[in-house]
């Protein structure tokens, strides 16, 4: 055993698209509070098919070891650490 525990927090959504949006938002918010949150590992599933998981983030390695892709799993643009619209402040 690794000594790490994983939190499974059931939250319902009406469909896969909205489940992914909610999961991305929750992961990003929680990541601001703790470095132990691993957004790339977030998945969603149908309530009655929890063994069939759908990835939320792309999580592909970025070139030159610059981290991992933080865009949605089905993005059509090139991989990036963060979505361009998240850079605005």
């Amino acid at each position: 055993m690794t000594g790490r525990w994983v939190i499974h927090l059931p939250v319902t959504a009406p469909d896969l698209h909205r489940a992914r949006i909610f999961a991305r938002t929750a992961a990003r918010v929680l990541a601001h509070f703790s470095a132990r949150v691993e957004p790339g590992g977030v998945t969603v599933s149908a309530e009655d098919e929890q063994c069939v998981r759908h990835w939320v983030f792309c999580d592909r390695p970025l070139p030159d070891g610059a981290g991992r892709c933080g865009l949605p799993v089905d993005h059509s643009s090139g991989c990036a650490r963060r979505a361009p619209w998240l850079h605005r402040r």
Side-chain angles (χ1 to χ4, degrees), residues 45-52:
S45 66
E47 184 174 21
D48 53 353
E49 289 187 285
Q50 293 185 28
C51 61
V52 179

Side-chain angles (χ1 to χ4, degrees), residues 25-36:
T25 303
R28 287 180 177 137
V29 168
L30 291 172
H32 286 289
F33 294 110
S34 174
R36 294 185 179 270

Side-chain angles (χ1 to χ4, degrees), residues 51-75:
C51 61
V52 179
R53 304 270 177 128
H54 301 272
W55 291 103
V56 173
F57 291 98
C58 172
D59 204 39
R60 288 186 192 116
L62 295 173
D64 302 325
R68 301 189 77 80
C69 181
L71 299 180
V73 70
D74 53 0
H75 68 88

